[in-house]
Amino acid sequence: MNSQDSIKEQKRMGLGMMILAWMVFLGLGILFFGDVLEKQFNPNQRLDTQYSKAGMREVVLQRNKFGHYVTSGTINGQPVTFMLDTGATGVAIPEAIARKLDIPRGRPYRTQTANGISTSYAASLDSVAVGEIELRDVQAGIAPGLAMNQILLGMTFLKHIEFTQRGDTLILRQYL
């Protein structure tokens, strides 16, 4: 191999290493900023539950940058993302999420939504939890027309707990 071939080989290796370095840099950037954006949408991914001596459980939620209370939680022990909605009568589960969670459709019923009248399907959830605030046997609806990646946590859950909003904070309390 002559010196010209050696120089070409070194340039080709250098270019390959530079491309690899940029790919790693971009990949790390996507991971970092994806996490930042997710935390802006759901600032309540990791919840701490406080306990009082009187047997009260308390979870504090922060409002997201869009003005909503979005939080991680569970349905039947499986992780989900909730958007708290005091204007919703019940827990509304998008059909795609209900399929992932293996929640069967019950009887159909008519619902009044912001977009008009729709058909939902009754469902009974064994458990619904936000932090360690948990309710059993919660009635819900599977909503085929609900095109979102969160479950609307409405009053069939919220009416059983106390909640107080102050500024950008929502405090949920469950008395045992």
Side-chain angles (χ1 to χ4, degrees), residues 109-126:
Y109 64 94
R110 311 276 284 161
T111 57
Q112 177 68 42
T113 70
N115 293 325
I117 295 177
S118 178
T119 299
S120 291
Y121 298 89
S124 183
L125 308 174
D126 293 333

Side-chain angles (χ1 to χ4, degrees), residues 129-140:
V130 174
E132 293 180 36
I133 293 176
E134 182 177 26
L135 294 177
R136 299 239 172 238
D137 194 29
V138 176
Q139 298 307 303

Side-chain angles (χ1 to χ4, degrees), residues 41-50 58-64 67-73 81-86 129-133 153 157-158 161-173:
F41 178 73
N42 180 0
N44 304 298
Q45 294 177 24
R46 291 172 187 80
L47 297 176
D48 289 324
T49 303
Q50 303 295 318
E58 181 178 278
V59 173
V60 178
L61 303 177
Q62 298 301 313
R63 186 187 316 230
N64 73 9
H68 301 287
Y69 291 102
V70 176
T71 185
S72 299
T81 301
F82 292 118
M83 180 179 292
L84 277 71
D85 186 353
T86 58
V130 174
E132 293 180 36
I133 293 176
L153 191 60
F157 178 87
L158 295 172
I161 62 172
E162 177 183 296
F163 54 95
T164 307
Q165 180 180 352
R166 288 196 185 107
D168 290 338
T169 302
L170 183 68
I171 302 167
L172 306 177
R173 292 185 186 97

Side-chain angles (χ1 to χ4, degrees), residues 72-93:
S72 299
T74 63
I75 288 182
N76 299 341
Q78 298 180 68
V80 296
T81 301
F82 292 118
M83 180 179 292
L84 277 71
D85 186 353
T86 58
T89 303
V91 175
I93 307 169

Side-chain angles (χ1 to χ4, degrees), residues 7-25:
I7 291 172
K8 284 182 183 179
E9 181 66 25
Q10 287 176 356
K11 284 184 179 181
R12 198 168 31 247
M13 281 183 60
L15 179 62
M17 293 300 279
M18 188 168 53
I19 290 171
L20 180 62
W22 274 106
M23 288 174 61
V24 168
F25 177 73

